Amino acid sequence: MRNRNASSGARDTRLPALDLLVGFEAAARHLSFTKAGEELFLTQSAVSRQMKELEDQLGVELFQRRHRALSLTDAGKQFYASAAQVLTTMRAATDRLRTQAGKKSLSVTTTHSFAALWLIPRLAGFTQSHPTVDVRITADTRVQDLDRDGLDIAIRHGPAALAGTNAIRLMGERVFPVCSPKLLADKSRPLREPKDLRHHTLLQYDDPDGRHPWLHWKTWLEVERIADLRPSGTLSFSGYEQIIPAAVAGHGVALGRSPLVKDLLASGDLIMPFKSSADPARAYYAIVARNAAARAEVSEFVAWLKHEAAKR
């Protein structure tokens, strides 16, 4: 007997797995497997494999893959519009069900570096004291519209002039060189003052658009009045959260950001080889969505953020 689904006119009604849809929506939104992986805490290759599996299941190409570039095909654009709408609906329905079951949901958006280096290492302190609150973190470089995207709180970084009147200041930021203590063991390459950086590899943030000048060694060297200094080498990274582990491993000297490397300085994994006068006059702010401001769990999370930020 023939299987009816194998007949020539049968329509395959199977849906792709949810994790494939989530991965596709993130990759299509960022147009980057690497950034999608950072958001979903997966490797770039894992996201790439997921997208190949999804394309095989659907029988169409969703992405055009070029050297260091990714774009959606016409089929990919159509599928992205539907997938994004479905996932938004599912997330809203999930939040409602959790609320009805006594579990409160709280969504927070911030940058990859702040999430990885500051927020996530401390988050257990909030969740343990608020076991009925389900915190969902979205790491993204875009400035998202909280009300439109269904988010409760944003933690943003920038100058006071751009923070907005309703922003809640959490903490300021200083930028200064940091490195592993391992680098000081080599007496042939001293690191006692800024000009000694010529003996070392500088870990550089790759910022082709120049959107983050305060994280560039070029800017710091100009402030220190040694703009003509030439290091022994440079290593470039696409994300700040990649630079700090490289510094801990002893691969070179990084520009530390005061709140993000605080724990590593306290533990001794990183040190400040000398003092720096550079101050970018930027800070971290919490912004609360208008429709979330009255919820108790939102105000409690902001209060927790302020308490953690105030710790020395």
Side-chain angles (χ1 to χ4, degrees):
M1 180 181 293
R2 287 184 68 189
N3 187 321
R4 287 183 299 171
N5 289 336
S7 63
S8 59
R11 186 167 72 99
D12 190 346
T13 58
R14 292 173 300 171
L15 294 174
L18 183 59
D19 60 338
L20 298 184
L21 292 179
V22 171
F24 169 73
E25 189 274 336
R29 174 161 37 87
H30 291 293
L31 289 179
S32 167
F33 292 160
T34 299
K35 291 181 179 178
E38 290 171 350
E39 178 177 318
L40 301 173
F41 299 98
L42 296 173
T43 63
Q44 182 271 347
S45 58
V47 176
S48 180
R49 287 194 299 271
Q50 282 189 344
M51 296 307 96
K52 182 62 171 64
E53 181 181 350
L54 180 60
E55 289 175 325
D56 289 344
Q57 288 185 16
L58 296 175
V60 295
E61 288 191 352
L62 301 173
F63 295 96
Q64 291 180 340
R65 298 162 174 84
R66 301 186 182 91
H67 179 62
R68 299 192 71 178
L70 192 69
S71 61
L72 288 169
T73 63
D74 289 341
K77 292 176 182 177
Q78 295 175 19
F79 195 61
Y80 173 57
S82 297
Q85 182 177 1
V86 167
L87 289 174
T88 298
T89 301
M90 287 298 299
R91 285 170 179 144
T94 301
D95 288 345
R96 285 195 299 271
L97 287 176
R98 284 174 174 161
T99 300
Q100 293 168 5
K103 192 83 172 178
K104 300 173 183 177
S105 179
L106 180 67
S107 56
V108 183
T109 178
T110 189
T111 62
H112 295 97
S113 56
F114 190 84
L117 297 173
W118 194 91
L119 182 57
I120 292 175
R122 291 168 169 76
L123 191 58
F126 179 82
T127 57
Q128 288 173 4
S129 60
H130 297 78
T132 62
V133 179
D134 182 16
V135 181
R136 179 164 59 90
I137 297 173
T138 300
D140 202 326
T141 55
R142 295 179 305 140
V143 176
Q144 295 180 288
D145 186 305
L146 300 184
D147 294 314
R148 183 195 64 201
D149 295 332
L151 299 165
D152 299 318
I153 299 171
I155 303 172
R156 294 176 181 160
H157 170 259
L162 297 180
T165 57
N166 296 323
I168 302 163
R169 191 180 189 278
L170 298 176
M171 53 194 161
E173 178 179 79
R174 291 188 303 111
V175 176
F176 45 82
V178 295
C179 67
S180 167
K182 303 172 189 175
L183 296 191
L184 302 187
D186 186 353
K187 301 304 180 183
S188 66
R189 297 193 302 159
L191 191 56
R192 294 186 294 269
E193 55 184 331
K195 68 179 183 180
D196 288 336
L197 289 169
R198 68 184 187 274
H199 304 299
H200 294 271
T201 297
L202 302 186
L203 306 180
Q204 178 66 50
Y205 180 60
D206 188 7
D207 183 26
D209 298 328
R211 297 171 57 192
H212 308 284
W214 67 96
L215 294 181
H216 291 198
W217 274 107
K218 179 178 181 294
T219 302
W220 187 88
L221 294 171
E222 288 173 351
V223 171
E224 291 292 331
R225 299 181 180 178
I226 49 174
D228 58 346
L229 183 140
R230 296 295 177 264
S232 64
T234 59
L235 284 175
S236 297
F237 300 83
S238 62
Y240 186 78
E241 69 280 2
Q242 302 162 6
I243 292 177
I244 297 306
V248 172
H251 296 313
V253 185
L255 284 175
R257 301 166 65 180
S258 52
L260 304 189
V261 299
K262 174 183 174 183
D263 295 342
L264 293 168
L265 290 171
S267 68
D269 291 321
L270 289 177
I271 61 169
M272 293 173 57
F274 46 78
K275 291 187 177 181
S276 167
S277 59
D279 184 355
R282 302 175 74 89
Y284 291 85
Y285 299 87
I287 295 96
V288 178
R290 288 189 297 263
N291 58 10
R295 286 163 41 202
E297 64 271 20
V298 172
S299 59
E300 288 166 4
F301 189 80
V302 171
W304 173 80
L305 285 173
K306 293 169 66 177
H307 175 75
E308 289 296 313
K311 288 181 177 178
R312 299 299 179 193

